[in-house]
Amino acid sequence: RLPQAGGKGAEASRLFRRVLDQDDPRLVIEAAYRMGEGLRAAGQNEDAVEAYMTAAYLGPDSIWARRSKPRSGAARCIDSGSG
């Protein structure tokens, strides 16, 4: 969380990608959601949608999936100029 909050998007993305390679699915799902948050904040909406949908796909019943679905739609609208 800290690199993302401090505006260090590249560092945060690198750390989150390392977490995505972990065996614990709970970590992977949360990391995908948080990567989506960071990417969306950086204006990389297409990549944010991919990260959010990864969280939703990997943990469809998780809190992270429930948070990811509306965020994905919002990022998709912004990316297409509809929002």
Side-chain angles (χ1 to χ4, degrees):
R1 263 188 182 179
L2 295 177
Q4 179 182 348
K8 299 178 182 178
E11 181 183 349
S13 182
R14 186 174 60 252
L15 291 172
F16 286 141
R17 289 188 191 283
R18 285 180 54 198
V19 173
L20 289 175
D21 290 333
Q22 301 301 310
D23 290 332
D24 186 343
R26 294 170 301 171
L27 289 176
V28 173
I29 295 163
E30 181 178 354
Y33 170 81
R34 295 200 183 278
M35 188 181 326
E37 290 287 277
L39 290 165
R40 191 171 76 112
Q44 298 175 19
N45 295 309
E46 189 173 317
D47 292 332
V49 169
E50 183 178 338
Y52 287 135
M53 295 311 293
T54 297
Y57 175 76
L58 294 175
D61 297 326
S62 71
I63 184 68
W64 305 112
R66 290 191 294 277
R67 290 180 180 178
S68 289
K69 290 172 187 175
R71 298 280 203 185
S72 174
R76 196 173 281 129
C77 287
I78 291 169
D79 196 45
S80 69
S82 302

